[in-house]
């Protein structure tokens, strides 16, 4: 049995035991990562949760970020692994463009 499946079962059990979380509307998510494998892994992790993946893409040019964030995006997830400086620039720009979304970052490294 894969680790992802176990995590999904735990999350499903948690959601099922918490009526408030089950009644929440699904969250729309955009993933920005220059690593396609990383985007797929994150999409797989989100599968089965109350998150709807709107799109996953590499890092857009800063002047095109507004177009990426148009619409009903609730959460932006940004990969810090490949190009930390560029990722943090996108985080800063996203926060300036959309104060109503949650911006998260992730990294495989501990530093």
């Amino acid at each position: 049995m894969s680790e992802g499946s176990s995590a999904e079962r735990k999350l499903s059990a948690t959601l099922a035991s918490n009526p408030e979380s089950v009644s929440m509307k699904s969250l729309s998510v955009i993933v920005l990562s220059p690593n396609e494998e990383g985007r797929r892994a994150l999409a797989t992790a989100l599968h089965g949760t109350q998150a709807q993946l709107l799109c996953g893409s590499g890092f857009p040019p800063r002047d095109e970020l507004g177009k990426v964030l148009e619409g009903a995006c609730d959460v932006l997830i940004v990969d810090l692994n490949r190009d930390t400086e560029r990722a943090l620039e996108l985080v800063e720009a996203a926060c300036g463009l959309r104060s109503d979304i949650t911006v998260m970052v992730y990294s495989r490294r501990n530093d």
Side-chain angles (χ1 to χ4, degrees):
M1 188 93 19
S2 75
E3 190 174 309
S5 298
S6 175
E8 288 177 13
R9 282 196 305 275
K10 285 179 185 176
L11 180 59
S12 293
T14 300
L15 292 175
S17 67
N18 184 350
E20 288 182 23
S21 68
V22 174
S23 64
M24 283 178 36
K25 73 175 184 86
S26 65
L27 297 173
S28 54
V29 178
I30 294 175
V31 176
L32 298 181
S33 171
N35 180 334
E36 184 176 340
E37 183 179 322
R39 290 192 306 268
R40 280 194 304 241
L42 194 51
T44 299
L46 291 172
H47 180 74
T49 68
Q50 291 183 320
Q52 175 190 7
L53 185 62
L54 296 178
C55 74
S57 72
F59 290 164
R62 190 171 180 172
D63 61 341
E64 292 181 18
L65 184 61
K67 291 179 186 176
V68 172
L69 297 177
E70 283 180 346
C73 173
D74 298 306
V75 180
L76 174 66
I77 303 176
V78 181
D79 178 358
L80 291 177
N81 286 312
R82 279 250 173 108
D83 187 348
T84 303
E85 187 174 326
R86 177 79 178 109
L88 293 175
E89 286 175 4
L90 288 171
V91 167
E92 182 179 16
C95 290
L97 290 168
R98 295 274 311 269
S99 62
D100 62 325
I101 65 172
T102 298
V103 179
M104 300 171 62
V105 297
Y106 72 97
S107 176
R108 292 185 184 127
R109 298 185 305 244
N110 291 330
D111 54 351

